[in-house]
Amino acid sequence: ISLKQKGKGVLVAARIASDKSWNAASNACQRAALTKARMAQEPAPEESPNLIPQVKLQPGLDDLELAGKSDTQEDSEWSKSGSPESASTPEAQADKPNSKWADFPVEQWRSAVYVNRAYFGQLCSDTADFIVNIAEQVKLSGRRVSLVEVGCGTGEFVRETAETFRVAVGVDFNPHFIEFCKHEAADEGATRQRYVQGDACALVDLMKTEFPVHEGLFWDDVRVVACVGNTIGIIPQHLKAAVYKQMFELAGPSGIVIMAYWNAAWFGDAVQNFYHANPQLCGSFTGESINLGTTTLSTPSGYCTHWTSVSEARAVMDSLGAEIISLKQKGKGVLVAAGAWIETCTDMA
């Protein structure tokens, strides 16, 4: 149900899935006892009393992904025309190819992600804790949980949280990002991770292809569908409704949609200390690109992002007919968990 490394301790909460599992657990305990007995009979290797085991940890990987991921992915995941939010007319959209973001290089992307780590570090940790805690509460009720991250970038957030879920799926429009994620998962032997290239406006169909409904895997679980790191803030306005609809439809009546917005209260600070310091993300810009009234940045490079207030996040969920389970303002973030308690939800079973 939960496994956490806390300083000098490793804390685990678990349940037996079924009566048949008792036999497997008993056999495992017997094997562990035999192994311990054999080890007790073998001479211990020589060791310095001051030797500290070199354990390879991966702190803050979620920091890297959430901090910069979504803003760079504006067109790669959301706009088939490749146009930013500011290109609102069909003519403007037709003039801009989508290859700009669909072919965005992995190396350049990860460079931006690492630069962003310092600014969003605490929010990334808060976001991961928020989602993991919700998943653990579901598991305490006896249900299994799976995760889909919409706009996974190069997969840092999925890799950080995957062990909490039965299966953790990252979806991204950029095929280079997905190939990178698959390679990393294979190197780690991460069998719980899946990565799917495709359009978030067709999210349900993507998951049906990846997980045939009749097989049960994924569809039998409580589905947590997350869009973190302000990915939603860079989606062109005319596509946002479709993305929200697909997320709630995929979650289903018993699932949970989680949004991690960037907090509008921090927009002014971010313009100075995040965007100006990160030109590889949004390009150079002047004051004309900044709209403090709408907390929106639209740069000459075509990059456009919107930061969301607490009241706006609540209004969005209300307009979708969703019931808010939790809404928290956490520093630079606004974290929302909502249930798809709406009649229009499709029963995926």
Side-chain angles (χ1 to χ4, degrees):
I1 297 168
S2 178
L3 191 154
K4 299 181 186 296
Q5 180 175 264
K6 289 288 189 179
K8 299 181 178 72
V10 177
L11 310 180
V12 183
R15 69 163 68 244
I16 296 296
S18 66
D19 292 340
K20 294 180 179 179
S21 299
W22 283 109
N23 292 332
S26 177
N27 292 337
C29 290
Q30 292 176 14
R31 289 194 298 272
L34 290 173
T35 300
K36 183 176 180 180
R38 285 197 301 271
M39 292 176 64
Q41 296 173 1
E42 295 175 357
E46 293 186 4
E47 224 176 26
S48 165
N50 296 320
L51 182 63
I52 300 176
Q54 299 300 307
V55 180
K56 184 179 180 181
L57 301 177
Q58 297 179 337
L61 285 177
D62 53 323
D63 297 1
L64 312 182
E65 176 64 4
L66 296 173
K69 168 190 63 171
S70 54
D71 285 293
T72 315
Q73 288 176 302
E74 173 188 356
D75 299 300
S76 68
E77 293 172 345
W78 311 118
S79 177
K80 295 179 181 178
S81 65
S83 61
E85 228 172 341
S86 56
S88 57
T89 66
E91 292 79 11
Q93 295 169 19
D95 290 338
K96 296 189 177 183
N98 66 356
S99 59
K100 174 181 178 182
W101 297 115
D103 296 328
F104 200 87
V106 169
E107 295 77 12
Q108 186 176 346
W109 173 256
R110 285 176 63 80
S111 174
V113 166
Y114 280 89
V115 169
N116 300 337
R117 180 179 181 179
Y119 190 78
F120 286 104
Q122 185 58 52
L123 173 59
C124 299
S125 178
D126 290 341
T127 301
D129 288 345
F130 185 71
I131 293 177
V132 168
N133 288 341
I134 286 174
E136 290 173 351
Q137 291 300 312
V138 173
K139 288 193 283 186
L140 282 170
S141 71
R143 298 291 304 277
R144 302 180 93 167
V145 189
S146 286
L147 169 74
V148 174
E149 185 194 358
V150 176
C152 67
T154 45
E156 284 79 10
F157 180 74
V158 171
R159 288 194 293 276
E160 179 70 10
T161 58
E163 291 304 309
T164 300
F165 302 93
R166 186 184 185 191
V167 61
V169 187
V171 178
D172 201 284
F173 188 78
N174 188 313
H176 307 299
F177 293 170
I178 294 300
E179 285 304 312
F180 176 86
C181 292
K182 289 180 177 179
H183 182 270
E184 290 291 298
D187 284 350
E188 296 174 8
T191 58
R192 297 188 185 209
Q193 298 176 33
R194 300 277 190 93
Y195 295 96
V196 180
Q197 190 271 330
D199 187 348
C201 292
L203 190 61
V204 174
D205 286 341
L206 285 174
M207 292 302 101
K208 284 183 178 179
T209 300
E210 183 71 15
F211 302 97
V213 176
H214 68 274
E215 293 182 0
L217 178 64
F218 179 78
W219 301 108
D220 290 343
D221 303 341
V222 173
R223 295 180 292 279
V224 173
V225 186
C227 187
V228 302
N230 204 46
T231 296
I232 199 71
I234 51 80
I235 297 175
Q237 189 65 36
H238 65 286
L239 296 178
K240 286 184 180 181
V243 174
Y244 276 121
K245 182 178 184 298
Q246 285 285 293
M247 291 179 67
F248 275 102
E249 185 174 335
L250 180 61
S254 63
I256 302 166
V257 168
I258 294 179
M259 306 299 302
Y261 302 101
W262 286 348
N263 190 349
W266 282 81
F267 178 72
D269 181 85
V271 168
Q272 293 297 321
N273 300 312
F274 174 60
Y275 290 115
H276 270 306
N278 206 355
Q280 71 269 35
L281 179 67
C282 58
S284 300
F285 62 92
T286 63
E288 295 178 351
S289 300
I290 305 164
N291 189 327
L292 293 175
T294 62
T295 57
T296 301
L297 176 69
S298 300
T299 71
S301 69
Y303 170 83
C304 182
T305 185
H306 171 70
W307 288 45
T308 303
S309 67
V310 171
S311 59
E312 182 183 355
R314 186 179 298 279
V316 168
M317 292 298 116
D318 288 345
S319 71
L320 293 167
E323 174 149 347
I324 294 174
I325 299 168
S326 179
L327 192 157
K328 299 179 184 294
Q329 181 173 246
K330 286 283 194 177
K332 299 182 179 79
V334 176
L335 308 180
V336 182
W341 320 136
I342 51 180
E343 295 179 357
T344 55
C345 267
T346 300
D347 183 2
M348 299 308 303

